[in-house]
Amino acid sequence: MMFPRRAATIEPFAIEHANISTGDVNGSVLQDMTVVVDERGRIETITSSQNIGIPAHYHRIDANGKYVTAGLINMHVHLFADGKPLDPKFATPTAQRRLRTFLNTPAGKAYAAAKAKSSVEALLNSGVTTIRTLGDVGYEAVALRRKVESGALLGPRILASGPLLAIPEGHGAPMIALTGESAEQARHNAEFNIDHGVDVLKIAATGGVTDSQELGEAGSPQMSVDAMRAICDVAHASEMIVAAHAQSPEGVRNALEAGVDTIEHGCALDEHLIEQFTTNPNALHGYSALIPTLSAGLAMTAVPQNRTHITDIQYANAKEVTDGMIAGARDARMHGVIVGVGTDTAMSLVTQYATWRELYLLTHYAGFTAAQAFHAATQVNASIAGIGDETGSVAVGKYADLLVLDDDPVHDLRTLANPKLVVAAGRPVWRPHVKHFEDIDALLDDRF
């Protein structure tokens, strides 16, 4: 799919004397290079700093000793919260219905829009230049995408899902979901989202942890294969990919059979599931990818409950699901399943500004090298999303979605936590800054 970018004219510039961390699986670096960005926001030239004459009207940025990389892509974000612990009292069906009623009011819509905007700004300032939302309150992410595309808002590329698609009383419902049980209802909800301008669709194939009220609810199959297939058919007819929340072998198997393109969270993989991922004739591109979201699972299980505030039932469900997510990420890496990067932002202790932690967790829990994790968060994610021709690497002709860093992330992934410059489609964020939650950072730093 082609996604239009900013309409505003951009001041052309050049980043000089930088080392380019290419983002390939070997962690290759090009020394003392200059990256030239034109008025369309695209990379015009990449060449040795010793062999280039830069036009006088181009702004020049001296990046001597710094590293230039592609901007991060986060394939699983929510914009309705900032990552502070979610109160489990608001996860009950009754409380969710009350919250949904409020969010349908003018004040509730204004609150959701403001929260979404602040979340997008935090993501951008932390070095994320493309996001895929997977479960919105309404169509606030679509509205933000349009502002970014018009040049009215400096932000990341936004692939917006709108509300996810679930069964009545299913995962995410009614807070961030449209619901239906039959294939016809599922098809209608998919078409409704598309009519409202979404770029991707998300299905709740199984129950989840955050709103679970019973042991075993997380991972329990919910939507039927027929209903999920109807959603995939509608999406694929528009060249649109479909994500599925799935946290058990049966749930993953059903979603892959239906033709979903990405599995969110996942489970331990057997030979049959591996084959379904790698060769999936019902998926848009003939394969499906895994987005493990270790950040969300490990935060709920490694941090004491008196800090996460989750219930005993939620903790027990989280422990089982997270063990499966870690095993699935390992299995996928070992057996050639394509693995992307998403964090499940807005969940408890998953802040909007810490996408880099997911890369760190992939290296420490799933056996990825730092180069492989960074490759997944850039080039692999771009390919999964169908935007590899536009972004995901530092290459001539692509949009200048760039970071300037103190160090090579392949040597130290933590350097991604403090980008010195962020560029989104050629528009620089000169002094990127986000408000950190020091208590959350300290908790996670202590455990990971």
Side-chain angles (χ1 to χ4, degrees):
M1 297 178 69
M2 295 293 291
F3 296 91
R5 297 311 308 268
R6 289 62 164 174
T9 300
I10 293 164
E11 179 187 11
F13 64 91
I15 303 175
E16 300 180 89
H17 301 293
N19 302 313
I20 298 176
S21 185
T22 65
D24 66 23
V25 292
N26 299 313
S28 303
V29 174
L30 305 176
Q31 303 284 340
D32 193 15
M33 303 294 288
T34 291
V35 180
V36 181
V37 178
D38 66 21
E39 66 279 354
R40 303 171 302 155
R42 291 186 181 268
I43 298 173
E44 178 181 331
T45 306
I46 301 172
T47 190
S48 168
S49 295
Q50 308 305 317
N51 300 326
I52 186 171
I54 300 170
H57 66 288
Y58 278 48
H59 183 74
R60 299 172 72 156
I61 302 166
D62 185 359
N64 187 34
K66 305 294 185 185
Y67 287 79
V68 170
T69 73
L72 296 175
I73 298 172
N74 193 326
M75 290 285 280
H76 193 132
V77 307
H78 301 280
L79 303 177
F80 54 75
D82 51 23
K84 293 179 182 178
L86 301 174
D87 190 335
K89 294 198 297 280
F90 294 119
T92 65
T94 298
Q96 286 209 24
R97 283 191 288 271
R98 289 174 179 167
L99 279 171
R100 182 69 256 182
T101 298
F102 165 70
L103 290 168
N104 285 336
T105 67
K109 290 178 180 178
Y111 171 83
K115 183 62 72 174
K117 183 173 182 289
S118 67
S119 295
V120 162
E121 290 171 344
L123 283 154
L124 177 65
N125 277 264
S126 69
V128 179
T129 56
T130 297
I131 65 172
R132 182 178 67 155
T133 70
L134 289 183
D136 302 323
V137 172
Y139 301 99
E140 59 278 358
V142 174
L144 287 169
R145 186 200 70 216
R146 288 170 175 160
K147 288 182 179 180
V148 170
E149 290 172 350
S150 72
L153 175 69
L154 176 52
R157 176 187 287 97
I158 299 174
L159 311 179
S161 74
L164 62 84
L165 308 177
I167 64 168
E169 305 297 323
H171 179 58
M175 263 288 293
I176 54 170
L178 304 179
T179 61
E181 285 193 283
S182 68
E184 186 55 40
Q185 290 171 324
R187 182 180 294 106
H188 170 78
N189 287 340
E191 291 171 343
F192 188 83
N193 268 355
I194 292 172
D195 288 345
H196 281 75
V198 304
D199 307 292
V200 299
L201 295 177
K202 185 196 182 176
I203 296 168
T206 74
V209 172
T210 53
D211 51 5
S212 61
Q213 305 297 309
E214 299 178 1
L215 288 174
E217 182 178 343
S220 176
Q222 292 188 342
M223 189 174 288
S224 71
V225 173
D226 286 346
M228 289 190 286
R229 177 69 63 81
I231 292 167
C232 290
D233 287 346
V234 168
H236 293 166
S238 297
E239 294 292 306
M240 187 178 293
I241 66 171
V242 180
H245 165 104
Q247 296 180 320
S248 67
E250 185 179 358
V252 171
R253 187 176 300 113
N254 289 346
L256 292 173
E257 181 182 342
V260 304
D261 303 285
T262 66
I263 293 290
E264 311 300 309
H265 318 304
C267 64
L269 306 181
D270 59 22
E271 289 184 12
H272 178 62
L273 288 176
I274 290 167
E275 183 178 353
Q276 279 188 292
F277 270 104
T278 55
T279 305
N280 189 345
N282 295 320
L284 182 61
H285 299 298
Y287 73 91
S288 300
L290 175 66
I291 315 293
T293 68
L294 301 185
S295 296
L298 284 164
M300 285 189 288
T301 55
V303 175
Q305 283 178 257
N306 66 347
R307 302 303 298 271
T308 62
H309 306 314
I310 61 176
T311 66
D312 290 342
I313 286 174
Q314 289 170 335
Y315 176 81
N317 285 335
K319 187 69 174 67
E320 182 175 358
V321 163
T322 301
D323 288 346
M325 286 160 54
I326 293 170
R330 287 177 183 159
D331 295 338
R333 177 188 60 80
M334 293 172 61
H335 295 285
V337 173
I338 293 174
V339 179
V341 172
T343 60
D344 212 356
T345 65
M347 297 300 103
S348 292
L349 308 186
V350 188
T351 62
Q352 301 289 352
Y353 58 78
T355 297
W356 73 270
R357 286 191 186 275
E358 184 72 14
L359 282 65
Y360 183 84
L361 295 175
L362 286 170
T363 65
H364 282 70
Y365 288 86
F368 285 67
T369 66
Q372 288 171 333
F374 185 65
H375 179 67
T378 52
Q379 294 180 34
V380 174
N381 272 356
S383 178
I384 294 169
I387 53 176
D389 292 339
E390 301 289 306
T391 190
S393 62
V394 185
V396 172
K398 292 190 179 184
Y399 279 107
D401 294 330
L402 306 171
L403 307 181
V404 176
L405 306 168
D406 280 331
D407 200 356
D408 185 352
V410 170
H411 294 154
D412 182 8
L413 287 168
R414 288 180 182 268
T415 196
L416 291 164
N418 295 290
K420 302 305 157 186
L421 175 67
V422 178
V423 182
R427 299 181 69 187
V429 181
W430 292 114
R431 295 176 179 83
H433 174 74
V434 293
K435 177 184 176 182
H436 281 244
F437 306 129
E438 294 182 2
D439 55 339
I440 293 177
D441 293 347
L443 272 175
L444 299 177
D445 287 343
D446 186 51
R447 283 155 180 81
F448 308 122

